[in-house]
Amino acid sequence: MTCIVSFVDKKKRMMWMGADSMSSYGYIKAKNSLPKVFQNEHYIIGHCGYSKAFSLLQYGNNIPPPCGDLHEFMTIIFADHFRKILDEHDYLKKSDNVSSMGDKHTVFSIAVGGRLFEVFNNFVVEEFDYPYFSSGSGREIALGSLYNDNVSGFLQKDPRESIRASIKAATEFIPSVGGKIKIISKSY
């Protein structure tokens, strides 16, 4: 698993996302050389869980640009596009006419248009009413760190360092979080 931390600064019109590089499988952990966050023209995307779905999204078909109502777009067009990519590569699991990515722990964090979304393994899309969020292992610890930094103003003053510190806090207490931290920023 991994820890993903996201932040949107609406005043500066910037989106930030960071992730550690640890992969864990039961009692085994290893530092992963593949980044768990990427960006393209419109999105910053991070993932927790198995990396095949992430790789297919990153290297597969072009992700459509957002249009219209952003939540509706993410729920219908983005989720359907993602589902089709996975189906084309035989990574879509179907049970009782319900599609999923197969791994119940797979979660995607997405920053687009100054908003933060999560796409779960069953393609449910959630949007959160915070300028920051965290997903994956250690998210509770990272969220506490982000909350504190947001209240003190440090999150807005130095988003990169705040994101790094939040992931480091999760690293301190959660065995499946660790390794190098990659942080991406993008204007919107």
Side-chain angles (χ1 to χ4, degrees):
M1 201 66 154
T2 199
C3 185
I4 306 287
V5 173
S6 309
F7 169 61
V8 172
D9 187 330
K10 294 201 182 280
K11 287 182 183 173
K12 295 179 183 172
R13 299 188 50 83
M14 290 291 293
M15 303 181 297
W16 300 81
M17 189 176 295
D20 70 311
S21 58
M22 187 64 69
S23 290
S24 58
Y25 310 95
Y27 297 109
I28 304 294
K29 66 179 188 175
K31 294 174 185 163
N32 197 327
S33 63
L34 299 173
K36 296 184 179 188
V37 292
F38 79 92
Q39 67 177 328
N40 69 13
E41 187 178 351
H42 303 285
Y43 304 88
I44 301 176
I45 299 176
H47 92 289
C48 310
Y50 292 118
S51 59
K52 182 169 181 176
F54 180 71
S55 295
L56 290 173
L57 187 58
Q58 183 177 9
Y59 302 121
N61 302 334
N62 292 331
I63 303 170
C67 61
D69 177 87
L70 191 52
H71 191 267
E72 181 180 347
F73 169 84
M74 292 298 293
T75 302
I76 298 171
I77 297 170
F78 182 92
D80 283 347
H81 178 78
F82 193 13
R83 188 181 290 112
K84 286 176 188 169
I85 290 172
L86 297 178
D87 195 28
E88 287 170 9
H89 294 275
D90 293 326
Y91 197 67
L92 194 63
K93 196 175 185 184
K94 292 184 183 177
S95 177
D96 298 325
N97 288 329
V98 176
S99 300
S100 73
M101 292 179 224
D103 171 33
K104 66 180 180 180
H105 302 293
T106 298
V107 176
F108 286 81
S109 296
I110 301 171
V112 58
R115 291 162 67 182
L116 301 175
F117 296 90
E118 274 194 10
V119 178
F120 295 92
N121 76 315
N122 60 356
F123 303 99
V124 168
V125 176
E126 295 284 344
E127 182 176 9
F128 302 100
D129 195 24
Y130 298 95
Y132 56 87
F133 207 73
S134 182
S135 304
S137 294
R139 69 183 162 271
E140 296 89 348
I141 294 167
L143 281 169
S145 178
L146 288 166
Y147 174 82
N148 187 57
D149 284 356
N150 188 51
V151 169
S152 72
F154 182 67
L155 180 58
Q156 294 77 12
K157 196 177 298 178
D158 193 347
R160 184 173 298 276
E161 190 51 41
S162 178
I163 289 169
R164 184 177 315 286
S166 297
I167 296 170
K168 286 281 196 189
T171 299
E172 182 69 25
F173 297 101
I174 306 298
S176 58
V177 180
K180 287 184 180 178
I181 296 170
K182 179 172 182 172
I183 299 171
I184 295 175
S185 61
K186 179 175 190 41
S187 61
Y188 67 94

